[in-house]
Structure formats: structure tokens, C-alpha cells
Amino acid sequence: MAYIKKITSHQNPTIKDFKALENRKKRKETNLFFAEGLKVLGTAKECEWTPVQYIYEEGEAASGIAYDLVDWALQGEAQVMEVPYDVMGKLSSRDNPQPAIASFTQKWVDKSAIKNGLWVLLEEVRDPGNLGTIIRTVDAVGAQGVILVGNCCDPYAIETVRASMGSIFAVDMIKMDREEALTFVSKEWKGEVVATHLEATDDFRRDYNMDGNYLLMMGSEGPGLTKEMSYLASSKIKIPMRGHADSLNLAVATALVLYEMRK
Ligand SMILES: C[S@@+](CC[C@H](N)C(=O)[O-])C[C@H]1O[C@@H](n2cnc3c(N)ncnc32)[C@H](O)[C@@H]1O
């Protein structure tokens, strides 16, 4: 039976362990991550996630969504803790601490879940803010999920979770190493493979089938898509640019193409 524990010091070992989830090594060891803020945690609840630990600021769960979230955590048998403002401040990654923060088990979907629809494949994405923004956009357009290929940044890093604004709980995340991805794209994916490339000649504003199956391949912030990956594309598209910029930001380019595909 879950109950609420009061903790008053940030030196408490449970609080210290929670805080350590900021660190990628710790997230890898424990398979946990954390998210903060009532709105974001509300999305986790809506998407039927259950927290492992739930920490809230004393006096902040009297009514409304804050109360519902504590109830959700207790129903889910989470470890629920009430802490004072200064402890919340130590835990939060923000200047103005959120009234609630919770840890969750990371969820990686198996590639057998990829059947059809619209998927975004990101090759070696390195910027956590870009990744979070892409996850949010994938959610917004109703695409199925994100496939991370190779050495990508961690979607469960706090910067990514924050930039996703809760969409991390709504979007399927799959990871593949390079070999697996090349086999998947060339032999297993049943649909069109669209690569974005600065050297492409086709404009991204072309006809797409609103209900079609598309794998949209995006390159990394540095070198872009590798030759091996773009070679597998059935079409290559470019977003025209007029000024001095030699490319667009990865998350901006992904959003433009996704909206065009689902317009
Ligand atoms: C910052 S760009 C990488 C630029 C890299 N130097 C290159 O030559 O591809 C990151 C990714 O965003 C996408 N991208 C950025 N600008 C684009 C554009 N104008 N047209 C198509 N894709 C673009 C591509 O997927 C690209 O791999």
C-alpha cells in the first residue's frame, strides 16, 4: 500500500539518487528518467504511464490537477514524497522550481512495432533540444514515432524531456545501430523512404498521400545523412533556401517536411 513520506533534507539518499538521474550514466544504470511540471506530468498520466517516484512541494497538492497527480502516483504504487520548497529547488532543473517532479522507467519500443504510418528516422542526432522539439512535432502531426540510429543523444535527458513538453510520453521511441537500420530500411520497411538532403533537386512541397506510409530520414546537425543511408531513399527532397544560410536547423527542417507530408 503506497503512502506519502515527508522528506526535509536534500541530503536524503533517495533525493540524492533522484537528482543523480540528471546524469546519463545513472539513467543507463537504472533505466529511469525524470520529468517535471504539472502539465508534463498530466500528459504522462493521460498517456497511461505510471511514475516510479513522485515528489511534490508541500502545500501544493491541496486540489485540482496537483491533487489528482498525487492520487495517480499513489494508485500506481509509486514512492510518493512531500518535500519543502528548498528541496524542490535542488531537484528541479529550472530556475523557478516546478511543484512536482517524477521518475519513470524508460520505454523503448521494439522495431517489430513499426508497421506503417509516418515515422521519422534520425541519424546521429546530437542536440537534446533538437531531439525534444522533433518528438513534440512528431506528436503534433500524429506521426507514429522516432527511430534513433547510431550514436544519438539521449531522448530521456532532461533537456530533451523538457523540450518535448510531455510528448516524450506520447511518441514511440526505437533505437537501432547502423547495421540494423540499414537492414531495416532496405529490407523490412514497407513504404516510401524519403531522405532530406541539401544536394537533392526535388522540392519538399510535392504530393504526399495523407494516409501513406513514409519513413522520413533526417541527418545529423554536423555532417547530415550518411551516403549509405541516403542511398536507400526512394526519393530525396530539399527545402529551398534563398539567403546565406547553408542549411536549416534540424528540428525546423523536420517540422517543415512533416507538416507538408500531413497537410
Ligand atoms: C544542419 S543540417 C546538416 C547539414 C550538413 N552539413 C549537410 O551537408 O547535410 C541537419 C539536417 O537537417 C536537414 N536539413 C537542413 N536543412 C535542410 C534543407 N534545406 N533541405 C533539406 N533538409 C535539410 C537534413 O536532414 C540535414 O541532414
Side-chain angles (χ1 to χ4, degrees):
M1 180 73 181
Y3 63 96
I4 300 172
K5 184 174 178 185
K6 285 191 186 232
I7 294 182
T8 51
S9 165
H10 66 267
Q11 298 294 353
N12 177 288
T14 310
I15 298 292
K16 281 178 150 177
D17 280 349
F18 190 101
K19 176 83 182 155
L21 293 175
E22 281 178 354
N23 183 317
R24 187 170 192 170
K25 191 162 161 257
K26 190 73 177 177
R27 288 196 300 275
K28 213 167 172 191
E29 258 169 46
T30 57
N31 201 32
L32 298 173
F33 71 104
F34 71 82
E36 59 191 318
L38 299 180
K39 189 173 175 304
V40 168
L41 296 174
T43 307
K45 177 174 179 258
E46 264 171 46
C47 295
E48 298 182 356
W49 284 58
T50 308
V52 174
Q53 291 168 308
Y54 187 91
I55 305 177
Y56 68 95
E57 187 187 328
E58 64 190 1
E60 289 288 335
S63 61
I65 181 164
Y67 177 88
D68 291 346
L69 289 173
V70 172
D71 188 48
W72 160 66
L74 288 168
Q75 298 287 340
E77 303 277 313
Q79 187 183 8
V80 182
M81 291 159 272
E82 187 184 84
V83 301
Y85 179 80
D86 65 310
V87 174
M88 214 61 206
K90 291 273 188 241
L91 283 173
S92 178
S93 66
R94 292 168 180 257
D95 290 341
N96 57 332
Q98 299 292 306
I101 191 163
S103 65
F104 300 85
T105 302
Q106 298 176 22
K107 210 182 272 179
W108 292 99
V109 173
D110 187 80
K111 78 174 166 113
S112 61
I114 308 173
K115 298 276 186 289
N116 43 34
L118 173 56
W119 289 81
V120 176
L121 180 152
L122 299 173
E123 191 180 25
E124 310 243 321
V125 53
R126 294 296 167 84
D127 183 292
N130 276 346
L131 179 55
T133 306
I134 292 170
I135 292 169
R136 187 176 179 182
T137 311
V138 163
D139 184 20
V141 300
Q144 273 55 48
V146 174
I147 303 168
L148 296 176
V149 175
N151 193 10
C152 290
C153 58
D154 181 6
Y156 292 111
I158 189 62
E159 300 90 334
T160 309
V161 172
R162 197 191 302 140
S164 87
M165 283 299 292
S167 294
I168 188 73
F169 297 108
V171 168
D172 281 352
M173 300 299 307
I174 295 184
K175 60 181 163 186
M176 295 184 191
D177 63 28
R178 171 166 306 284
E179 288 311 310
E180 237 183 321
L182 291 170
T183 307
F184 168 74
V185 179
S186 59
K187 302 208 166 85
E188 296 161 23
W189 169 252
K190 309 260 181 294
E192 195 178 331
V193 181
V194 179
T196 48
H197 208 285
L198 297 178
E199 281 162 25
T201 47
D202 288 351
D203 194 293
F204 79 114
R205 291 160 294 187
R206 41 156 272 207
D207 278 346
Y208 299 96
N209 174 355
M210 173 76 186
D211 305 311
N213 301 328
Y214 294 104
L215 182 64
L216 172 63
M217 301 206 293
M218 306 297 302
S220 74
E221 293 90 347
L225 265 187
T226 55
K227 280 207 177 68
E228 296 89 327
M229 215 41 111
S230 47
Y231 178 75
L232 299 176
S234 33
S235 61
K236 294 193 184 69
I237 52 165
K238 181 176 177 177
I239 305 161
M241 294 173 293
R242 287 187 177 201
H244 294 284
D246 62 2
S247 66
L248 288 159
N249 164 276
L250 169 63
V252 170
T254 310
L256 285 168
V257 180
L258 283 176
Y259 270 91
E260 187 63 23
M261 285 178 143
R262 283 295 183 250
K263 76 170 186 277

